[in-house]
Amino acid sequence: MKLIGAHLSPYVRKVATILTIKGISYEPEVVIPGMMPDDFIEISPLLKIPVLVDGEVTLPDSSVICEYLNEKYPEPATMPSDVAERARARFLEEYGDTRLLEYMSVPFIENVVKPGLRNEQPDEDRVRRVVHEMLPGALDYLESQVPAQGFLFGDFSTADIALVSPTINAGLGGYTVDAGRWPRYAGFVERVKAFPPVVAVLQAEQEAMGSLLG
Ligand SMILES: N[C@@H](CCC(=O)N[C@@H](CS)C(=O)NCC(=O)O)C(=O)O
C-alpha cells in the first residue's frame, strides 16, 4: 500500500490515522502541493493530495479513501455501524475537511509555510481576522457537536480525526483553542491527539518534518 502526499497535510494525516488504526502498513511517497509531477493528473484529476495505491486500486480524495479502507478492511471499524450515526459522521468529516480547515489552515500557512518554505513574511492581520472573526462561529458549532468525554460515536471514527486534524495544523502555526470559551472542543482535541494511532502518526510527521517544525 502506498500513501502519496505531504506529511503535514491534514487530509494525508486523516488517511494515515485510519491506516494505522487498521494496522495496515504503508509506504509514504512525498508529493507536495505546487510541485506535483506532470503526470500526477492521471491519478489525481483534481490535482490534490492524498492518493492511495492499494495494488490495482488507485484512489484520490481522503474521504473516498477512508471509506474504501473501512469497507475493504472492516476491522476495526472506523465508521459507526448505525446508519443515522454514519450519516452524521460523514457530515462532520465534511465540516472538518472544508469549513474548519479553511480557517485553521491560515495560522499554519502564514506562520509555518510562508516563513519556513517560501521565505515570505506572515500576514499577521490575516491570522488575527480569521482567528477573531471567522473561527469563533465554527468553534461554537463544534462545541455543540463534540462529546464532553470520549469520541463522537464511542469508538474512534474518521469524523474524530477530521474534526481535529486541521486544528493540529493551526497549533503548529501557534494557535491554541481557548479552553475557557470552548471547553468541550478543547478537551476533545487533546483526547484525539492522545489516541495512540494519532500519536504514532504525529511522531512520524515530526521525524519527517523536524527541521520545518523546529
Ligand atoms: N477533498 C480533498 C481535498 C485535498 C486537498 O485539498 N489537498 C490539498 C493539500 S492539504 C492539496 O492537494 N492542494 C493542492 C491544490 O489545491 O493545488 C481530500 O479530502 O483529499
Side-chain angles (χ1 to χ4, degrees), residues 13-67:
R13 184 183 300 121
K14 187 173 80 170
V15 174
T17 299
I18 299 307
L19 286 164
T20 305
I21 290 171
K22 290 181 179 291
I24 302 170
S25 61
Y26 63 95
E27 181 196 327
E29 182 178 309
V30 175
V31 167
I32 297 174
M35 295 191 241
M36 288 156 169
D38 289 343
D39 58 357
F40 193 62
I41 198 161
E42 289 167 19
I43 59 168
S44 182
L46 295 175
L47 282 175
K48 291 187 190 293
I49 55 166
V51 171
L52 183 86
V53 182
D54 180 18
E56 301 294 300
V57 178
T58 299
L59 292 171
D61 195 282
S62 65
S63 301
V64 171
I65 294 168
C66 289
E67 193 123 14

